[in-house]
Amino acid sequence: MKGHFRKRGSTWSFAISLGTDETGKRKQITRSGFKTKKEAEIACAEMITKYESGDLIISKKQTLSDYLIFWLENHAKSTLRTSSYTNHETVINSRIVPALGKIEMDKLTPIHVTKYLTELQKEDLSADYIKYIHAVLKKALNQAVKWQLIPKNIMDNVDPPRLTQKEIITWTPEQANEFLSYAEKDKYYIAFVLAIYTGMRRGEILGLRWKDIDFEQAKISIQQTLYRPSNQGIIFQEPKTKSAKRRIAIPQFVLHELKRHKAKQNKLRLQFGDGYEDNDLVVCYDDGRPQDPRNLLRHYERITKKSGLPAIRFHDLRHTHATMLLQMGEHPKVVSERLGHSRVGITMDVYSHVMPDMQKDAADNFEKMMKQKRSK
């Protein structure tokens, strides 16, 4: 079996002959859009290998389930981050395949998917989760179009559910201080300080290394995050976006607490001796092993309950940090950079609940300025 190559305009394509079907019609695999002949040759060789090993499913009559399994293994695994791949795999196996998996690819219609999404809404699932299911299926079928298994993506004609803005619950500065005072003796106190004073995500805090902290410049560099996929061990990965890989200025209080925490950690290192697993992590188990994110959450929830403060999620400490800054009059762009948002617009949308107060302050300040000018 070999491929035949052809240049069309500025790009190359290849075709692999598969003989004829039961009706005598010639079967072949064709792919196009390669910038060079070399790229086309490499892709062709990979396609032949997969076909000869039985891994390549080329029938347009295959079920959606067969296709999604193939797509996960042969495309998603090599193009997605580990955490994203795990989330895609979970939603496909637990949600999409049980409901739509038996339908053949060429018989899947927008009506099938629309009815399915409507049923999901009856389960009282969140709109953003249903939208995520919509996005995963659309992404998978986009690749099916590129592989020429289907002529078009039916998901283009299926509207995702309308997202509703979740209410963000935060603590006041007084409540945040009260929590830190209550948690000061806890082994994960430094994690709570970082969450409130920097707005870092849980995975960013647990992935923070001492070498990522510049004590002279008083800045933290976000270079990696810790993630624990379901049924898998802990892994480290780079931040999702370029903007998430950032430097955050920290005040003297945080520097002081980091130095105190470092001293305690050094004592534990000496106690464990050769049994200490040095990963250079700021937040970790006593023996240096990476911290399980779920364990940190359990600690946080237990302390919050005992403190008697309003129950908010650990992630809401990040929201608390951002809300306080905006209420103080800090520029949204600065807040956006600290949080690692890709656009200021995201920050403005997420924290729109703060905007009415800011509008009132702006109106009052404008009036004050006008009065001063009139009196001169």
Side-chain angles (χ1 to χ4, degrees):
M1 180 181 290
K2 63 179 183 178
H4 301 278
F5 303 90
R6 179 180 175 183
K7 188 174 185 181
R8 296 180 175 178
S10 60
T11 61
W12 285 82
S13 63
F14 70 81
I16 304 172
S17 177
L18 304 177
T20 58
D21 60 20
E22 60 275 8
T23 65
K25 185 177 179 180
R26 187 176 65 165
K27 297 191 301 181
Q28 66 176 12
I29 301 174
T30 61
R31 299 291 184 270
S32 59
F34 301 98
K35 293 181 180 179
T36 64
K37 185 178 181 181
K38 185 67 176 177
E39 289 183 5
E41 289 174 340
I42 293 173
C44 181
E46 292 177 349
M47 193 74 71
I48 291 173
T49 300
K50 287 181 179 179
Y51 180 75
E52 292 180 338
S53 65
D55 290 335
L56 181 64
I57 304 172
I58 61 165
S59 171
K60 296 181 181 180
K61 293 294 183 181
Q62 67 181 293
T63 64
L64 178 63
S65 175
D66 288 338
Y67 169 72
L68 290 175
I69 292 170
F70 177 79
W71 175 76
L72 281 170
E73 186 64 29
N74 294 276
H75 183 75
K77 183 172 285 188
S78 60
T79 58
L80 297 176
R81 289 158 46 91
T82 302
S83 57
S84 296
Y85 173 80
T86 301
N87 292 336
H88 279 52
E89 183 182 39
T90 299
V91 81
I92 284 173
N93 290 331
S94 65
R95 287 290 177 179
I96 300 175
V97 167
L100 304 172
K102 293 181 180 180
I103 303 175
E104 292 180 354
M105 290 281 284
D106 62 342
K107 293 180 180 178
L108 185 66
T109 67
I111 293 297
H112 285 127
V113 182
T114 299
K115 286 184 177 180
Y116 166 58
L117 296 180
T118 300
E119 289 301 314
L120 290 180
Q121 289 176 311
K122 293 178 182 179
E123 293 184 36
D124 199 28
L125 297 174
S126 65
D128 54 351
Y129 182 62
I130 298 174
K131 187 172 183 179
Y132 176 67
I133 295 173
H134 179 282
V136 170
L137 186 54
K138 184 172 184 178
K139 184 188 298 183
L141 294 184
N142 272 338
Q143 191 60 41
V145 174
K146 293 180 181 178
W147 282 336
Q148 298 180 10
L149 292 175
I150 51 178
K152 61 181 180 179
N153 190 343
I154 59 103
M155 294 301 294
D156 292 336
N157 297 315
V158 179
D159 295 326
R162 185 170 62 88
L163 290 179
T164 55
Q165 182 66 44
K166 291 182 178 179
E167 181 183 3
I168 293 178
I169 303 175
T170 61
W171 281 336
T172 64
E174 293 77 15
Q175 289 171 328
N177 276 320
E178 184 179 345
F179 172 80
L180 289 178
S181 296
Y182 196 89
E184 188 173 2
K185 303 299 182 182
D186 188 81
K187 63 191 299 184
Y188 299 115
Y189 170 67
I190 192 63
F192 307 143
V193 169
L194 290 170
I196 292 173
Y197 274 80
T198 70
M200 291 168 64
R201 301 175 177 90
R202 178 184 57 173
E204 294 171 343
I205 292 171
L206 296 180
L208 182 67
R209 298 161 297 188
W210 290 108
K211 69 178 183 179
D212 299 326
I213 303 173
D214 187 334
F215 284 92
E216 291 187 4
Q217 297 293 323
K219 289 186 178 180
I220 288 175
S221 295
I222 307 300
Q223 298 295 324
Q224 68 173 16
T225 65
L226 181 148
Y227 178 69
R228 190 186 190 283
S230 57
N231 302 321
Q232 294 185 38
I234 288 171
I235 62 172
F236 294 97
Q237 57 190 10
E238 287 192 352
K240 287 184 178 180
T241 62
K242 184 179 179 180
S243 54
K245 201 171 183 177
R246 63 201 187 279
R247 281 169 63 85
I248 305 173
I250 53 178
Q252 288 300 312
F253 171 75
V254 175
L255 283 174
H256 174 73
E257 295 303 324
L258 282 168
K259 290 175 182 177
R260 279 210 312 153
H261 179 72
K262 179 68 171 175
K264 293 177 183 178
Q265 198 176 80
N266 287 339
K267 290 181 180 179
L268 289 171
R269 187 193 303 268
L270 291 174
Q271 290 176 15
F272 279 90
D274 294 338
Y276 190 84
E277 185 179 308
D278 191 1
N279 293 290
D280 196 37
L281 294 171
V282 174
V283 182
C284 56
Y285 287 112
D286 290 347
D287 62 359
R289 289 178 297 122
Q291 176 68 56
D292 188 322
R294 297 173 302 184
N295 194 46
L296 175 63
L297 289 187
R298 284 192 288 266
H299 254 261
Y300 167 75
E301 289 167 358
R302 184 165 61 249
I303 294 172
T304 303
K305 187 175 182 179
K306 286 183 178 180
S307 70
L309 290 165
I312 65 173
R313 302 169 305 162
F314 185 87
H315 191 74
D316 291 328
L317 299 181
R318 172 176 165 86
H319 293 319
T320 295
H321 175 76
T323 299
M324 287 182 187
L325 287 176
L326 289 169
Q327 288 175 335
M328 288 165 49
E330 189 59 72
H331 196 287
K333 180 171 175 54
V334 175
V335 179
S336 179
E337 289 172 351
R338 289 181 69 81
L339 297 180
H341 288 164
S342 58
R343 294 180 294 104
V344 178
I346 295 176
T347 309
M348 300 293 283
D349 288 342
V350 173
Y351 300 103
S352 59
H353 64 289
V354 184
M355 300 307 149
D357 291 337
M358 294 175 66
Q359 289 274 12
K360 179 65 167 58
D361 291 341
D364 291 343
N365 290 335
F366 186 85
E367 182 184 37
K368 188 182 299 182
M369 181 270 295
M370 291 295 287
K371 285 183 177 178
Q372 290 174 348
K373 296 298 180 181
R374 285 200 302 269
S375 61
K376 290 183 178 179

